[in-house]
Amino acid sequence: MDFLQPSSWDEALAVRAERPDALPIAGGTDVMVELNFDRRRPGALLDLTRVGELQEWSIDDGTVRLGAGVPYGRVITELGDRLPGLAMAARTVGSPQIRVRGTVGGNLGSASPAGDAHPPLLAAGAEVEVASAARGTRRIPVAEFFTGVKRNALEPDELIAAVHVRTARGPQQFCKVGTRNAMVIAVSAFALALHPDRQAVGTGIGSAAPTPRRAAEAEEFLAGELDWAGRAALPESLAQAFGERVAAAAAPIDDVRGTAAYRRHSLAVLARRAATWAWDDLRRAA
Amino acid sequence: MTTAQTAARTTGRIGENAQRPDGTLKVTGEFAYASDLWHDDMVWGVTLRSPHPHARIRRIDVTEALTVPGVSAVLTADDVPGENAFGLEHADQPVLAAEFVRYEGEPVALVAADHPETARRAAARIRVDYEVLPALTDARRALDDDAPLVHPGGNLVRHLRLRRGAERPTAPVVVSLDFEVGMQDQAFLGPESGLAVPAEDGGVDLYVATQWLHVDQRQICLALGMPPEKVRLTLAGVGGAFGGREDLSVHVHACLLALRTGRPVKMSYGREESFHGHVHRHPATMTYEFGAECDGTLVYARAHVLLDGGAYASSTAAVVGNAGTLGLGPYRFPSVAVDAYGVFTHNPPCGAMRGFGCVQAAFAHEALMDELAAAVGVDPVEIRRRNGVQEGDRNITGQVIDSAAPVAELLQRVADLPLPPALPEQPDLRDLPGAVGNTTHGEGVRRGVGYSVTYKNVGFSEGFDDYSTARVRLQVTGGEAVATVHTAAAEVGQGLVTVQQQIARTELGVEQVVVVPADTAVGSAGSTSASRQTYVTGGAVKAACEAVRTAVLQRAAIALGRPVAGLALDGDKVVGAGGEVLAGLADVLGDDAVEETVEWRHRPTHAVDPETGQGDAHVQFAFSAHRAVVDVDTELGLVKVVALDTAQDVGKAINPDAVVGQIHGGSAQGMGLALMEEVVVTDGHVRNPSFTDYLLPTVLDVPPMRVEVLEYADPHAPYGVRGVGEPPTISSGPAVAAAVRAACGKPLRRVPIRPEHITCT
Amino acid sequence: MRVTTTVNGTERTADDVWPGESLLHLLRERLGLPGAKNACEQGECGSCTVYLDGEPVCACLVAAGQAVGREVTTVEGLAPGQSLHPVQEAFVEAGAVQCGFCTPGLVVAAHDLLARVPEPSDPEIREALAGNLCRCTGYEKILDAVRLAARRRATR
């Protein structure tokens, strides 16, 4: 096994192209587990922690460009106001020690259906910026980024550069169910973003399908039913109906962490509650 | 007027909060745990384990593994020089599987190499040709005629039959239930580790984290075909045990590799291997029925307890003994019929874990006591108080409980503690079920309160020759009196080293007490289990100190020309009845050391009658009660334990702070089993061998715990002590389960309680 | 490969490091610093917590090569010489140590918390230490130790 340590983004892309057998590593919170548990022996590790470009974030025209190497801890402290859904999710990632190291880029790279960052990115309609030495940069809507269980749309010579997320125009919520009150992988997770500027609703479901996914039909339903102009209280029946539609969008399985039936049930509850909280926030803000 | 000086009283005696002698080393990272050991020229050992729960080994080919550069040995069953068998009660487990593998994770081959990665890669190149066989993985089928046999002698490890009172009792009120308990893991944080160093005499020195050096030594000797004097064990730093180190892990393997390679060999499991490398708590399937008068007074009990022992016997028979003889809880039953079974399956072997058979049964009998309370319309505390045993009562094996049995008082103590305040209007997420998972802001949350009272035997039971050995030496070096205590008793974190110091200070009046590392150069101390070491090794240290003191005072009496009767030791001096200094220890001892070795036994226990289960099986009982308060998100099935308060009789608190610490930790383990801890085994395969999916309670899961310590001295025990470690693990879980039931109104007949059990989805 | 890193203020070098090796293995097995503990190897217990460039991390999840040129502080380096840091003193005095395997990681995590938040509330302490599992104490005396260390800090 080799240890490849580029110090610039261009160099990283060149190395990526040369060494398709190299496994990118950033915070190490997924990769090192695979190595320590003897589940993976790549030809090389491609360490991205020396690539300064990845460690930065910036705002342009109301959209945050979040470098792939920015750890969760910084998302919480530096971006909590602009990306509240992502920050709420970041707070539930592992432990403080994990949040110091783990990155949103790494979460996307692993593409686990249980990745905590994915539902808020889906709800916010984020785009993943990827690049290769040969073809330069392209942007992939996050909803199209996840292609299967722990699979994503990256080509073998590509690396994740950043994720682009519109700053919140309305309330956002993130809810995660686990069987322990800290440091737990999601049994199910749900993210909601209200976009009052365009009278739209965004959703993201985690741990309840082969990939993180939106509940598109539920989004449209709720956006159509909400009293955007009058901001009347959200009827419980509407919240309930939204929850049922979110649950219907899931395709969960039974596994050691939970049952498919419970995952569906919990999503309905989470979506109902999240919609109520978010709408109440919007009404209060008015 | 006399001007005699009064000796400054020795501090750090029993009853005081003496600090751990190893505390500083542990907070600085200098304490040497087994996995920290290092030796010049050492190589690393790894284990190749079976991927199948049941298979015949047709052939093992190690040729390729041996060609890996850096590999110094590859061993299989053929390389075991002695008997290829070990086991705590029956030597039924191969050191390395020979013809069959009987559980997933059973050791098949060993590799020694210069780096753990080299050893792992080499192990991956060992070719094992398995013929996969049908596996028995459902304990309820183990005794069926057509069940696959795990061992030629059949699948029954032990059946304990217990009958007392009327043969066919009836009662106006009858309640019954079925209950299941999942497989819990000890999950000590320090992984199994050891360092074996080949010795010039052809023997081996093993430094290992364990609970009982001498039972290890006996088994290693059998496997190596060596006498005990050639197999010397020293206790390495132990990172927790909880029963999981009572059986062998790396012991024989490291010795085999060291003897083959002629080099020191270190073995240290990773967490995944650790889940395969030690026994777990037996999963249980139980059916209980209680009959009572209309006022709730118990008339009879029937119980059927089935424990899945997994592939090898380990301590299953003794666990069955506890589940049977203690499995109805600390209540008076005029008539009883209990059948407790332990069976073999092709599941992971199960054995000792804190609470040992009482934990499983307690979930059933306490749930049923709540059922009975509801059936007769009295509250849970009252039903238990009404039926609780008292000192002088006979328990269900007919044994008289001959020291304090404060069931009613313990319940009253926890019931009288203030309840935690209700949740505020806008609670902090961290105080809610789900915490920062942000799953509720109060919606669906209901509070529940649950009670439990349980008891447990202390020490080894049913006629076991349970003893400990202590060697105590007193001498003056550099002008300072120093007592040295040497036992083979394993300090695993519980604080026995401090207890030994406190006893020596108390008995010898000497401030400086050195507890030397435990090893096999002194006689057996028995196991650090069954809450027994303060009692038994404490008793041995006390007796050895008394012998030393007698010898020293006899010398002093001669030197001083006074009768022994008026002399004592205190403040590093020989003192008179009023504490006045009569002589310095240096004056009495000079350069001599006084040393005494004592083998000390508690009162004998007796086997129970094979037909009726009657007999004086136990030496002492320890009682505890818990009250749990929980908030349950009834829509999502998530639980936040708000308070977990307890009262326990410890006889005499040798170190009050350490006693409370034990009770805290034990309570948290019981809570873990009630809510989240389970080794999930499907078709013989462990599905969650990691801390990602085997969930231990975090600091956000364990609530504040108030502890009421009662000290009703047991007149038969040294200082009146009563075992402390296990009772809290037994009574906390059932209280938590009861509180969750109270909050959500669901029967919840299985632990750990999963969210989907509460939501019924 | 060769790894050079600053550990507890001293530059240290190790040769023949396997590239898949963790910082934890490097510290424990090559640099003679076994204070950080190996309990889960997957960032789920916090026993291996060390500072990397001033931030508490799980050393088991840092590739040894990632520490090249960085500054690592382990539990062995929290206090000079034979002295104890007040957090370490508090752990001993409060009875927060039983088997002690989780202790080095908890000491570093608590040290970091008190450096950032001198007077933490109980929920803050709990959230900050939620990545450190303890199997012996039920955490009560660990919380006592952190409160004690915070109080002492405040009165100094």
Side-chain angles (χ1 to χ4, degrees):
Chain A
M1 194 186 296
D2 298 319
F3 196 79
L4 311 171
Q5 204 163 46
S7 55
S8 72
W9 182 234
D10 287 345
E11 193 190 337
L13 291 176
V15 172
R16 168 82 288 194
E18 279 165 28
R19 291 294 300 265
D21 64 334
L23 179 63
I25 178 171
T29 56
D30 285 334
V31 170
M32 288 305 292
V33 176
E34 305 235 295
L35 294 178
N36 292 342
F37 274 57
D38 204 2
R39 290 199 192 111
R40 206 158 166 175
R41 289 291 179 264
L45 289 179
L46 171 51
D47 176 29
L48 297 170
T49 57
R50 312 286 161 144
V51 179
E53 294 95 317
L54 294 177
Q55 322 299 324
E56 305 299 331
W57 61 267
S58 58
I59 298 192
D60 186 27
D61 196 21
T63 295
V64 174
R65 181 184 183 277
L66 181 67
V70 177
Y72 294 110
R74 285 179 59 201
V75 172
I76 299 168
T77 55
E78 298 171 22
L79 290 165
D81 53 345
R82 297 176 181 91
L83 308 177
L86 186 62
M88 290 167 89
R91 191 181 175 191
T92 73
V93 174
S95 63
Q97 293 91 324
I98 299 298
R99 299 195 280 274
V100 160
R101 296 284 294 168
T103 64
V104 175
N107 217 211
L108 289 164
S110 296
S112 160
D116 293 316
H118 308 327
L121 293 179
L122 286 162
E127 288 187 338
V128 185
E129 178 188 328
V130 304
S132 65
R135 297 178 307 285
T137 294
R138 63 182 178 124
R139 278 162 71 150
I140 308 167
V142 72
E144 294 164 28
F145 185 75
F146 308 107
T147 55
V149 177
K150 299 192 176 180
R151 293 160 61 98
N152 60 33
L154 279 183
E155 296 296 332
D157 62 347
E158 287 180 322
L159 290 171
I160 300 168
V163 57
H164 297 257
V165 198
R166 273 205 334 148
T167 56
R169 306 299 203 273
Q172 300 186 347
Q173 288 289 340
F174 173 79
C175 319
K176 165 174 155 182
V177 167
T179 32
R180 176 163 78 178
N181 286 310
M183 197 162 57
V184 69
I185 292 182
V187 172
S188 64
F190 179 70
L192 179 79
L194 296 182
H195 308 299
D197 53 325
R198 48 194 172 95
Q199 300 198 346
V201 172
T203 60
I205 294 173
S207 283
T211 66
R213 57 164 68 166
R214 289 168 54 199
E217 196 269 335
E219 291 175 4
E220 276 173 40
F221 166 77
L222 185 62
E225 296 289 325
L226 284 172
D227 177 15
W228 293 101
R231 306 233 168 139
L234 184 73
E236 206 176 309
S237 58
L238 176 56
Q240 180 100 21
F242 172 65
E244 283 161 14
R245 282 168 167 77
V246 167
I253 55 164
D254 290 336
D255 67 15
V256 74
R257 293 176 191 143
T259 63
Y262 175 77
R263 289 185 154 108
R264 246 185 234 286
H265 164 81
S266 60
L267 278 173
V269 176
L270 296 179
R272 165 159 55 82
R273 290 180 181 174
T276 307
W277 300 333
W279 187 252
D280 285 350
D281 283 347
L282 190 64
R283 296 178 70 215
R284 269 197 294 274
Chain B
M1 183 177 143
T2 169
T3 56
Q5 188 195 346
T6 305
R9 234 176 148 242
T10 304
T11 59
R13 295 166 176 250
I14 65 163
E16 297 175 29
N17 289 319
Q19 282 187 8
R20 302 182 64 96
D22 55 10
T24 299
L25 292 175
K26 285 178 173 178
V27 297
T28 54
E30 289 170 67
F31 185 80
Y33 294 90
S35 56
D36 300 337
L37 299 176
W38 189 88
H39 200 290
D40 274 337
D41 202 29
M42 80 180 188
V43 292
W44 293 80
V46 305
T47 316
L48 179 73
R49 293 172 181 274
S50 166
H52 307 294
H54 189 203
R56 182 193 306 277
I57 297 175
R58 289 201 193 101
R59 188 162 175 273
I60 303 179
D61 181 355
V62 303
T63 323
E64 253 192 80
L66 280 166
T67 63
V68 175
V71 167
S72 44
V74 180
L75 306 182
T76 65
D78 293 341
D79 300 299
V80 178
E83 200 170 320
N84 186 11
F86 71 95
L88 280 174
E89 295 174 9
H90 309 282
D92 65 348
Q93 189 160 0
V95 171
L96 291 168
E99 194 182 351
F100 294 100
V101 288
R102 297 185 179 87
Y103 71 97
E104 182 199 32
E106 179 158 0
V108 173
L110 305 168
V111 179
D114 55 6
H115 188 284
E117 174 67 4
T118 313
R120 282 191 293 264
R121 295 280 66 79
R125 292 183 173 203
I126 298 172
R127 301 275 159 80
V128 186
D129 182 7
Y130 291 106
E131 176 191 350
V132 175
L133 300 171
L136 170 66
T137 57
D138 182 351
R140 291 167 301 188
R141 285 202 52 228
L143 301 179
D144 291 354
D145 291 339
D146 60 345
L149 285 184
V150 181
H151 295 280
N155 292 337
L156 180 66
V157 183
R158 184 180 182 189
H159 169 206
L160 179 75
R161 184 175 187 275
L162 200 148
R163 296 292 184 276
R164 182 174 176 79
E167 231 173 273
R168 287 189 178 73
T170 58
V173 180
V174 176
V175 288
S176 64
L177 54 65
D178 297 321
F179 207 101
E180 271 184 46
V181 176
M183 183 188 286
Q184 189 179 21
D185 188 65
Q186 297 84 354
F188 41 75
L189 286 193
E192 290 88 343
S193 298
L195 176 70
V197 184
E200 282 182 7
D201 66 352
V204 62
D205 291 283
L206 177 67
Y207 303 83
V208 69
T210 184
Q211 290 178 225
W212 188 357
L213 289 164
H214 284 80
V215 83
D216 293 353
Q217 185 189 39
R218 172 170 62 79
Q219 295 172 89
I220 299 166
C221 287
L222 184 73
L224 298 182
M226 278 188 185
E229 57 271 20
K230 289 220 167 166
V231 180
R232 297 160 294 255
L233 274 71
T234 303
L235 186 70
V238 184
F242 317 116
R245 298 189 205 268
E246 210 167 48
D247 297 70
L248 297 185
S249 59
V250 302
H251 307 58
V252 182
H253 297 164
C255 291
L256 285 172
L257 288 171
L259 291 167
R260 173 62 67 95
T261 61
R263 291 170 71 175
V265 172
K266 176 169 174 174
M267 295 187 79
S268 186
Y269 294 171
R271 183 51 55 183
E272 183 172 14
E273 185 169 21
S274 177
F275 272 98
H276 296 297
H278 62 255
V279 299
H280 309 286
R281 189 191 296 290
H282 293 77
T285 310
M286 299 173 282
T287 301
Y288 272 61
E289 179 181 303
F290 287 173
E293 303 292 356
C294 293
D295 68 353
T297 304
L298 288 164
V299 175
Y300 74 85
R302 293 197 187 100
H304 181 280
V305 178
L306 175 65
L307 301 170
D308 183 351
Y312 294 100
S314 181
S315 50
T316 291
V319 174
V320 169
N322 273 11
T325 60
L326 301 163
L328 297 177
Y331 304 113
R332 283 189 302 266
F333 288 96
S335 299
V336 163
V338 177
D339 289 281
Y341 300 84
V343 296
F344 288 121
T345 64
H346 292 109
N347 288 325
C350 289
M353 183 176 172
R354 196 175 194 170
F356 205 81
C358 294
V359 166
Q360 294 92 330
F363 279 101
H365 67 66
E366 289 305 271
L368 199 51
M369 287 304 279
D370 287 341
E371 284 286 298
L372 179 61
V376 300
V378 304
D379 75 64
V381 173
E382 179 56 27
I383 197 81
R384 289 172 168 83
R385 216 166 24 197
R386 215 170 268 183
N387 289 291
V389 292
Q390 298 173 2
E391 184 171 353
D393 283 348
R394 289 184 185 276
N395 71 2
I396 61 170
T397 71
Q399 180 169 3
V400 173
I401 299 172
D402 61 1
S403 70
V407 172
E409 185 182 354
L410 292 167
L411 285 161
Q412 197 59 51
R413 289 282 193 119
V414 291
D416 287 347
L417 286 169
L419 283 162
L423 279 173
E425 268 303 293
Q426 295 197 311
D428 188 315
L429 280 180
R430 292 168 291 200
D431 292 330
L432 286 165
V436 301
N438 187 42
T439 49
T440 179
H441 297 169
E443 298 90 336
V445 176
R446 288 207 205 121
R447 183 156 289 187
V449 179
Y451 291 88
S452 165
V453 63
T454 60
Y455 80 145
K456 164 88 183 40
N457 58 328
V458 173
F460 281 27
S461 295
E462 298 188 67
F464 191 90
D465 181 22
D466 196 18
Y467 69 95
S468 180
T469 315
R471 180 176 297 156
V472 173
R473 166 202 287 259
L474 183 63
Q475 68 187 125
V476 178
T477 43
E480 195 172 23
V482 179
T484 306
V485 180
H486 188 185
T487 74
E491 165 66 44
V492 300
Q494 82 278 37
L496 182 67
V497 281
T498 328
V499 165
Q500 289 176 297
Q501 287 185 316
Q502 290 177 271
I503 291 173
R505 290 192 195 111
T506 305
E507 299 303 330
L508 298 176
V510 164
E511 197 85 36
Q512 281 294 325
V513 179
V514 176
V515 178
V516 299
D519 59 28
T520 51
V522 63
S524 175
S527 181
T528 293
S529 62
S531 309
R532 65 180 283 286
Q533 286 293 26
T534 296
Y535 188 138
V536 188
T537 290
V541 171
K542 178 172 185 276
C545 286
E546 286 165 350
V548 167
R549 187 180 61 210
T550 301
V552 171
L553 293 182
Q554 275 165 357
R555 284 183 180 223
I558 294 164
L560 295 166
R562 286 165 171 252
V564 170
L567 302 179
L569 298 176
D570 203 355
D572 294 359
K573 303 282 193 296
V574 178
V575 300
E580 71 279 13
V581 175
L582 300 175
L585 274 174
D587 305 330
V588 175
L589 293 178
D591 293 332
D592 294 353
V594 175
E595 181 180 289
E596 298 287 346
T597 303
V598 172
E599 203 170 88
W600 191 86
R601 286 171 167 75
H602 59 65
R603 290 181 297 161
T605 60
H606 304 279
V608 295
D609 182 277
E611 288 304 311
T612 64
Q614 298 298 292
D616 292 350
H618 306 298
V619 68
Q620 187 187 58
F621 304 98
F623 298 81
S624 62
H626 268 85
R627 182 187 67 191
V629 181
V630 303
D631 282 337
V632 179
D633 182 337
T634 54
E635 277 192 294
L636 286 174
L638 301 182
V639 178
K640 170 79 177 174
V641 182
V642 179
L644 188 56
D645 298 324
T646 184
Q648 182 171 332
D649 175 22
V650 305
K652 164 72 183 172
I654 300 291
N655 188 320
D657 268 358
V659 161
V660 170
Q662 280 289 298
I663 294 173
H664 285 151
S667 299
Q669 289 186 6
M671 189 205 101
L673 175 56
L675 295 178
M676 62 185 81
E677 293 186 33
E678 182 173 7
V679 179
V680 180
V681 182
T682 307
D683 300 330
H685 295 282
V686 176
R687 294 172 65 202
N688 56 341
S690 75
F691 279 174
T692 302
D693 285 314
Y694 185 89
L695 298 180
L696 298 174
T698 72
V699 67
L700 273 167
D701 297 283
V702 182
M705 295 180 276
R706 275 171 298 201
V707 178
E708 298 269 307
V709 173
L710 277 57
E711 294 185 79
Y712 291 124
D714 178 347
H716 313 287
Y719 306 116
V721 298
R722 203 178 286 285
V724 170
E726 291 170 289
T729 305
I730 303 165
S731 51
S732 72
V736 171
V740 175
R741 283 191 288 267
C744 71
K746 302 281 166 37
L748 302 175
R749 298 296 184 233
R750 186 182 198 285
V751 290
I753 297 166
R754 298 179 62 93
E756 59 264 30
H757 300 155
I758 296 173
T759 59
C760 299
T761 47
Chain C
M1 65 184 201
R2 165 172 284 205
V3 172
T4 301
T5 180
T6 302
V7 183
N8 297 332
T10 306
E11 192 173 281
R12 304 287 303 271
T13 297
D15 282 312
D16 302 322
V17 174
W18 174 57
E21 224 167 89
S22 66
L23 172 60
L24 181 63
H25 190 90
L26 179 83
L27 291 169
R28 290 176 51 79
E29 308 296 342
R30 297 185 186 276
L31 302 182
L33 291 167
K37 293 289 170 249
N38 56 321
C40 82
E41 320 262 337
Q42 58 178 158
E44 293 277 358
C45 78
S47 304
C48 65
T49 304
V50 300
Y51 282 111
L52 179 65
D53 281 355
E55 292 186 306
V57 303
C58 291
C60 71
L61 298 186
V62 177
Q66 293 183 306
V68 169
R70 308 283 196 206
E71 294 218 5
V72 178
T73 305
T74 69
V75 70
E76 290 100 333
L78 289 183
Q82 292 300 302
S83 65
L84 293 185
H85 185 274
V87 171
Q88 292 170 315
E89 277 175 9
F91 267 68
V92 174
E93 286 176 38
V97 179
Q98 286 189 32
C99 94
F101 210 80
C102 69
T103 305
L106 270 158
V107 164
V108 175
H111 183 275
D112 171 66
L113 168 67
L114 294 177
R116 288 183 292 109
V117 188
E119 292 176 63
S121 66
D122 273 9
E124 280 174 320
I125 300 174
R126 287 182 188 271
E127 190 174 3
L129 302 186
N132 293 78
L133 296 176
C134 172
R135 190 55 160 165
C136 294
T137 66
Y139 305 104
E140 282 285 81
K141 289 178 183 289
I142 291 167
L143 290 165
D144 288 345
V146 178
R147 293 180 198 120
L148 176 64
R151 269 202 311 278
R152 290 225 178 115
R153 208 186 141 101
T155 54
R156 261 172 208 181

